[in-house]
Amino acid sequence: MLLEGDPAESAGRLDLSTGECRPAFTEELEPGPPGEETDDPERWLYVPALGSRAGYRDMELFIDGLGDAALADRLRIALGGRGTFRRFKDALARDERSWRRYHRFCDERQRGRARAWLAEEGYCPRGPVPRL
């Protein structure tokens, strides 16, 4: 989510030791524990906010994959002008099954973009170590 925030207002840090993400605005509200080095490059990775273009593209791709022409038409109408994300979600909320499907779709695409960004930064995300 940090990657998709407003570049003028967002960004944050990733704790490389725990995987915790901290939006920049939370540092002002809740600074870390006393003595915590928040600028240690061995522990923290700056995460820029790249904007909502990818999220908008997710909405377009989701519409393209819908089998329900009436819902697709309502969602396409919602994509115009300011407030697109709110109108899109409001239109989608009327169909609980599609709402869940949309969120699964977007969550997976966000994870993919985060993995790609980490790889570009020279990191290889690891999953949990399987227990034998």
Side-chain angles (χ1 to χ4, degrees):
M1 297 288 290
L2 290 178
L3 285 170
E4 298 188 15
D6 181 342
E9 300 174 6
S10 299
R13 298 179 301 131
L14 170 66
D15 184 332
L16 296 170
S17 65
T18 67
E20 177 187 4
C21 293
R22 290 191 183 174
F25 70 86
T26 61
E27 295 301 315
E28 296 169 12
L29 301 174
E30 299 175 21
E36 180 179 74
E37 292 294 323
T38 59
D39 59 352
D40 177 1
E42 296 296 316
R43 179 170 178 192
W44 298 101
L45 178 63
Y46 172 75
V47 181
L50 304 175
S52 60
R53 184 177 308 261
Y56 186 89
R57 182 69 180 135
D58 289 348
M59 292 187 298
E60 292 176 321
L61 291 171
F62 180 77
I63 291 170
D64 291 346
L66 276 175
D68 181 338
L71 178 58
D73 287 342
R74 286 194 306 273
L75 294 175
R76 277 191 193 92
I77 291 168
L79 291 182
R82 292 181 56 90
T84 294
F85 286 90
R86 171 57 41 211
R87 279 194 312 277
F88 184 90
K89 289 178 181 178
D90 287 347
L92 193 59
R94 298 179 193 147
D95 182 334
E96 186 175 334
R97 183 171 171 251
S98 293
W99 174 263
R100 286 192 311 269
R101 184 173 164 226
Y102 170 73
H103 283 282
R104 282 192 308 270
F105 175 79
C106 289
D107 288 349
E108 186 55 37
R109 291 188 50 87
Q110 283 180 338
R111 281 189 207 90
R113 287 189 291 272
R115 287 183 192 108
W117 178 81
L118 284 166
E120 287 172 13
E121 294 296 313
Y123 295 91
C124 181
R126 294 185 306 220
V129 176
R131 291 190 229 185
L132 299 175

